[in-house]
């Protein structure tokens, strides 16, 4: 017999089930049965959502800073290195353009 594989759930599914548990319309056992998840797992997802709810709004709002100059010296250096490699390959292969 083969080994039993663990079920993996997407973050969206976990959030959906956890939020349903937070709403409290159904019991944790009913939610677990409806979604095919153990009630203890539903409780863990609910707890994780409640613990991390305070961090949702910590990030500053507004436009994100633009990384305008992405290290131009590094990029020019990379262009120079690639140009040298191309010239070397042209010389070795005998191609002249």
């Amino acid at each position: 017999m083969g080994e039993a594989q663990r079920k993996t759930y997407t973050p969206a599914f976990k959030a959906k089930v956890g939020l349903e548990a937070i709403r409290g319309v159904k019991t944790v056992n009913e939610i677990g049965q409806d979604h095919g998840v153990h009630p203890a797992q539903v409780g863990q997802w609910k707890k994780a959502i409640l613990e991390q709810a305070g961090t949702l709004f910590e990030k500053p709002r507004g436009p994100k800073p633009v990384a305008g100059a992405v290290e131009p010296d590094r990029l020019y250096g990379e262009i120079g290195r690639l140009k040298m490699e191309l010239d070397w390959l042209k010389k070795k292969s005998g191609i002249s353009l």
Side-chain angles (χ1 to χ4, degrees), residues 18-54:
L19 288 173
E20 193 173 329
I22 290 171
R23 284 189 200 107
V25 176
K26 296 180 183 178
T27 65
V28 173
N29 287 333
E30 290 172 336
I31 295 169
Q33 191 173 21
D34 289 347
H35 296 287
V37 178
H38 195 277
Q41 189 68 57
V42 174
Q44 288 176 353
W45 293 342
K46 176 183 174 182
K47 181 181 175 185
I49 290 172
L50 290 173
E51 287 175 351
Q52 296 175 10

Side-chain angles (χ1 to χ4, degrees), residues 53-68:
T55 62
L56 289 175
F57 304 106
E58 287 181 352
K59 294 180 183 171
R61 295 189 64 184
K64 298 195 177 10
V66 179

